[in-house]
Amino acid sequence: MKEIDLRSDTVTRPTKGMLQAMMTAQVGDDVYKEDPSVNELEQKLADMFGMDEALFFPTGSMANQAAIKLHTQPAEQLICDKWAHVYNYEGGGVSFNSGVSCKLLDGDRGMITAEMVKENINPPDFYHSPLTSLVCLENTTNKGGGACYDIEEIKKIRKVCDENSLGLHLDGARLFNALVKKGEDPKVYGKLFDTISVCLSKGLGTPMGSVLIGNKDLMENAIRVRKVLGGGMRQVGFMAAAGIYALDHQVERLAKDNERATQISEVLNQLSYVDKVEPTETNIVIFYLKDTSKETEFMGELSKANVRISNMGQGKIRIVTHHDYTEEMHQFFLKTLKVISL
Ligand SMILES: *Cc1c(COP(=O)(O)O)cnc(C)c1O
């Protein structure tokens, strides 16, 4: 059996069809906005979400950071969950790039509520505290174990944002996993958020690339901010073509990743040495061992079977299913879990 890499859904290789699409892509200099494949990808995503514009970025972090810059002025504050990627995993970019601080909320599996947002907006006329100007949500949540928001809660958060003149950004790195899971229409998200970032390099399986989608008023400056961050790219249509291919051929199959994660979660729940498994909604499984001192032994047993997973610290162990995790690997992994004894 080949190595089974369940550390992340970013470990995938492009499929034959994707490589073919890349090889035959029409390209041009995207800094001049003359790359037809990039233009097509951007238009496709803007249309899909019913928003005015979209812009291709090398990474999801850069797309999020650009969005935060577009929504805020230095010394202002954004509101997000304590586990948010924008706060924890983007190298402190919120303060470095935008000079903005984060008000961290103690949400449920990375998700916050309208009520919590409302309670945490600094009074705009109280000049001692930073001016709250933006709310960032994550769907699905990464550190929260692939949890999906209830769209009704997002509508309530939108209302609070409108009442308080706050921007609303969605870190949708794995939004397609949520859309497939819930059978939701991207246009509903396009109506609720001012900006949305989506990753093509996670479940969708491209080698690189994220897209920031938004309406004209905010997106007008996006290309300038991307330039400042060093994200102006040339014949990057080869990568955009991979994105177009993924959107056409590799979205529906995310249901498989979601389903296999649920099956892994069910098996873990039955194991004597597992303490708790977080509810599994999409392609991420987070769980804890009863005896956390046995984490190394557990990971060692798995690696003997050529299976890699990640230890996120604080007792959290994470498994992520993806395109290159086949049914054969899945069955082997489930069997392997059942015979490990700690
Ligand atoms: C992966 C990820 C991103 C973007 O990360 P990059 O590695 O910069 O592409 C953003 N948000 C979440 C929740 C993610 O999981």
Side-chain angles (χ1 to χ4, degrees), residues 101-136:
S101 60
C102 297
K103 171 84 70 91
L104 302 179
L105 308 191
D106 188 19
D108 172 34
R109 293 179 294 139
M111 299 181 293
I112 57 179
T113 65
E115 201 52 46
M116 294 166 77
V117 170
K118 205 165 156 184
E119 282 165 10
N120 284 282
I121 300 168
N122 294 331
D125 54 354
F126 186 68
Y127 60 79
H128 305 275
S129 54
L131 184 69
T132 309
S133 52
L134 173 65
V135 176
C136 290

Side-chain angles (χ1 to χ4, degrees), residues 60-340:
S61 296
M62 196 189 281
N64 283 334
Q65 291 301 316
I68 291 165
K69 185 70 192 158
L70 293 172
H71 282 281
T72 60
Q73 293 298 324
E76 292 180 351
Q77 190 164 70
L78 66 79
I79 292 177
C80 63
D81 183 86
K82 65 183 184 301
W83 285 348
H85 194 279
V86 294
Y87 174 71
N88 288 286
Y89 298 124
E90 296 183 9
V94 174
S95 53
F96 189 84
N97 299 313
S98 298
V100 162
S101 60
C102 297
K103 171 84 70 91
L104 302 179
L105 308 191
D106 188 19
D108 172 34
R109 293 179 294 139
M111 299 181 293
I112 57 179
T113 65
E115 201 52 46
M116 294 166 77
V117 170
K118 205 165 156 184
E119 282 165 10
N120 284 282
I121 300 168
N122 294 331
D125 54 354
F126 186 68
Y127 60 79
H128 305 275
S129 54
L131 184 69
T132 309
S133 52
L134 173 65
V135 176
C136 290
L137 305 184
E138 198 172 301
N139 198 28
T140 70
T141 64
N142 179 342
K143 220 177 170 184
C148 309
Y149 268 91
D150 177 354
I151 197 81
E152 295 308 316
E153 195 59 45
I154 299 179
K155 287 180 187 166
K156 289 183 200 156
I157 294 173
R158 174 77 257 179
K159 191 154 170 278
V160 172
C161 290
D162 286 343
E163 289 164 358
N164 294 278
S165 314
L166 308 180
L168 184 58
H169 171 67
L170 176 64
D171 175 354
R174 295 188 180 81
L175 182 58
F176 285 99
N177 287 82
L179 293 175
V180 165
K181 172 75 183 192
K182 300 233 167 164
E184 288 166 342
D185 180 352
K187 290 196 174 61
V188 174
Y189 281 80
K191 279 218 175 71
L192 289 169
F193 288 91
D194 299 309
T195 46
I196 299 175
S197 64
V198 295
C199 277
L200 303 167
S201 61
K202 299 261 167 89
L204 293 181
T206 73
M208 62 168 282
S210 280
V211 177
L212 182 66
I213 312 156
N215 287 329
K216 246 202 178 80
D217 48 343
L218 273 165
M219 290 300 284
E220 219 166 39
N221 268 324
I223 200 161
R224 179 182 292 276
V225 172
R226 186 182 70 177
K227 184 76 189 180
V228 173
L229 295 174
M233 300 174 286
R234 306 295 181 187
Q235 286 73 25
V236 78
F238 293 115
M239 295 301 161
I244 294 167
Y245 180 87
L247 291 168
D248 288 340
H249 299 97
Q250 297 185 175
V251 173
E252 292 311 315
R253 62 152 306 282
L254 291 172
K256 257 286 169 257
D257 297 346
N258 294 345
E259 193 184 300
R260 286 184 182 132
T262 302
Q263 288 162 358
I264 292 168
S265 168
E266 282 163 4
V267 167
L268 287 169
N269 255 314
Q270 292 163 11
L271 300 175
S272 60
Y273 54 86
V274 170
D275 182 30
K276 183 183 155 201
V277 188
E278 295 289 358
T280 304
E281 292 187 78
T282 53
N283 70 325
I284 303 177
V285 185
I286 288 181
F287 62 103
Y288 308 82
L289 299 187
K290 280 191 180 135
D291 182 352
T292 50
S293 69
K294 295 216 165 154
E295 278 168 10
T296 315
E297 189 186 339
F298 176 63
M299 311 272 282
E301 288 299 317
L302 286 179
S303 87
K304 273 189 221 157
N306 231 355
V307 178
R308 301 178 78 181
I309 64 175
S310 40
N311 188 340
M312 298 184 89
Q314 299 154 338
K316 272 181 198 243
I317 303 179
R318 190 182 81 166
I319 287 171
V320 188
T321 58
H322 52 74
H323 183 281
D324 293 2
Y325 178 59
T326 63
E327 186 58 29
E328 187 194 3
M329 291 176 178
H330 183 51
Q331 293 309 329
F332 175 83
F333 177 53
L334 294 181
K335 248 194 283 167
T336 304
L337 277 178
K338 288 179 191 163
V339 299
I340 289 176

